[in-house]
Amino acid sequence: MTTSHPAETAAAQSQPQPASHAGTPRWSKDEIEQAVLDFVEDSTTTWVSGDIKAWANWYTDDAVFRDLGFGYDGDEELRGRDAIFQYYKKVRDGFPGGQVQYYPCPWFMIDEERALVVLEWRCRMTDPGDGSIHEEPCYSRLIYGGNRQWSFEEDIYNPVRMGAMIERWIEVYSKYHPGALPDHSAVTA
């Protein structure tokens, strides 16, 4: 006998759900895993080069993107690939987004039945001048939408810890670049 809790049921119903066919996985674990591996590799390359259009192509036309620590100019989520591109182009061209150089991914998990991926990113800043590493973990929940694209992403991290890490980076950067500010303007949420 299974029981349900009303709060859990309501929360689960508000979350995007991948299409399934009577419990049969729509995509193979191998396909999803290869998409994760390629996405992780490509994310650093496209972000650092500034090719946010190529990065945004990892999302379906109707993708939903949530960042629980950042927000989107007053909205709780972005809807559609173009909205994702427009917003993250601004983030990449601003500070601190333009100073993020690498997204190591130490682990990920795949739930093949739900086409769901959970992974850990490390948002790593550029070298501030002394070779020190400044990074903070971020966790993403992705739903695979087929064709090497994600139909949903939700990023979860601690904005207080992220802010403190960025402040430490600025402190070190300032020591090695007196009077200089990072190359990018501020981004406001």
Side-chain angles (χ1 to χ4, degrees):
M1 178 173 140
T2 55
T3 61
S4 71
H5 302 283
E8 291 174 4
T9 303
Q13 290 173 350
S14 71
Q15 300 298 313
Q17 300 295 319
S20 66
H21 297 93
T24 303
R26 196 165 170 191
W27 298 284
S28 72
K29 183 175 181 181
D30 289 343
E31 178 181 350
I32 297 169
E33 182 173 18
Q34 191 59 56
V36 172
L37 294 170
D38 293 345
F39 178 59
V40 166
E41 181 179 338
D42 194 54
S43 288
T44 294
T45 305
T46 56
W47 190 267
V48 171
S49 73
D51 190 358
I52 303 307
K53 192 69 162 176
W55 175 78
N57 285 333
W58 279 98
Y59 299 92
T60 60
D61 288 336
D62 61 348
V64 172
F65 198 108
R66 295 180 187 158
D67 184 330
L68 301 181
F70 203 67
Y72 304 104
D73 298 329
D75 292 331
E76 81 171 31
E77 63 189 24
L78 298 171
R79 292 191 162 270
R81 181 188 305 139
D82 190 56
I84 293 168
F85 164 70
Q86 295 297 330
Y87 191 80
Y88 278 94
K89 175 79 172 120
K90 182 174 83 169
V91 169
R92 168 56 179 82
D93 290 346
F95 179 82
Q99 292 297 326
V100 175
Q101 71 165 3
Y102 188 49
Y103 290 96
C105 176
W107 61 265
F108 62 88
M109 299 181 298
I110 297 172
D111 178 341
E112 178 185 2
E113 219 173 279
R114 293 178 183 87
L116 178 71
V117 174
V118 175
L119 58 83
E120 177 183 327
W121 299 101
R122 296 293 175 112
C123 297
R124 185 177 294 174
M125 303 291 283
T126 58
D127 178 356
D130 66 352
S132 59
I133 293 176
H134 297 260
E135 67 181 13
E136 190 63 31
C138 174
Y139 304 91
S140 292
R141 184 169 62 108
L142 300 149
I143 296 176
Y144 188 63
N147 197 29
R148 294 173 36 93
Q149 294 179 317
W150 307 107
S151 63
F152 177 81
E153 180 172 342
E154 183 172 63
D155 291 346
I156 303 164
Y157 58 92
N158 184 327
V160 173
R161 288 178 53 105
M162 187 71 74
M165 180 272 293
I166 293 166
E167 290 298 320
R168 288 188 304 274
W169 180 89
I170 291 171
E171 187 178 310
V172 175
Y173 183 91
S174 297
K175 287 178 186 177
Y176 290 90
H177 309 279
L181 296 174
D183 292 337
H184 303 284
S185 61
V187 172
T188 56

